[in-house]
Amino acid sequence: MHAITRAALLLGAIWLTSPTLARDDGRYTNSPLKPWFESLHSGYGQCCSDADGSVVADPDWESDHGHYRVHIDDEWVVVPNEALITEPNKIGRTMVWKHYIDGHPRVRCFMPGSMT
């Protein structure tokens, strides 16, 4: 049990000091949250399959009457309803999985955080 707690604390420290979470390059192989991240999906499909997930700072996203916007590459991008991840956020931090169309960022998946 102590090993799991230590692993969770280490993973949390990595997330707090890293601005992005990239495709799995092996460093998260033993993370207790790895299967959860791999299971995340939106109306567009699996989040981690085609796009990198990035942690979003609180000033870089907002909610207005249930609609979200996120600041990506100096643009405010409206989050389509299909991009919302509806299951509980186990890490508590806002995340976005983005892709580009005609050089502009678009949101594939969006998981709102707690805004604390």
Side-chain angles (χ1 to χ4, degrees):
M1 185 66 174
H2 292 294
I4 292 172
T5 302
R6 281 188 289 224
L9 289 173
L10 177 61
L11 187 59
I14 290 169
W15 280 328
L16 291 174
T17 59
S18 174
T20 62
L21 296 173
R23 286 188 184 91
D24 184 13
D25 60 4
R27 71 185 127 163
Y28 301 113
T29 300
N30 296 318
S31 167
L33 291 178
K34 184 178 189 303
W36 175 73
F37 269 109
E38 290 178 344
S39 74
L40 293 176
H41 66 279
S42 70
Y44 296 127
Q46 281 190 296
C47 298
C48 292
S49 62
D50 296 326
D52 291 342
S54 302
V55 173
V56 180
D58 286 347
D60 290 329
W61 72 282
E62 60 188 22
S63 172
D64 183 32
H65 301 316
H67 297 281
Y68 297 98
R69 290 185 337 147
V70 63
H71 195 237
I72 304 171
D73 298 340
D74 297 323
E75 291 184 43
W76 280 99
V77 180
V78 174
V79 176
N81 289 337
E82 296 84 8
L84 286 176
I85 297 172
T86 57
E87 68 179 81
N89 183 336
K90 290 187 178 184
I91 64 166
R93 303 203 54 203
T94 303
M95 291 194 65
V96 65
W97 286 259
K98 62 186 176 183
H99 64 279
Y100 293 85
I101 297 176
D102 296 328
H104 295 282
R106 299 292 183 257
V107 176
R108 177 178 176 83
C109 297
F110 180 77
M111 183 170 52
S114 57
M115 286 190 97
T116 57

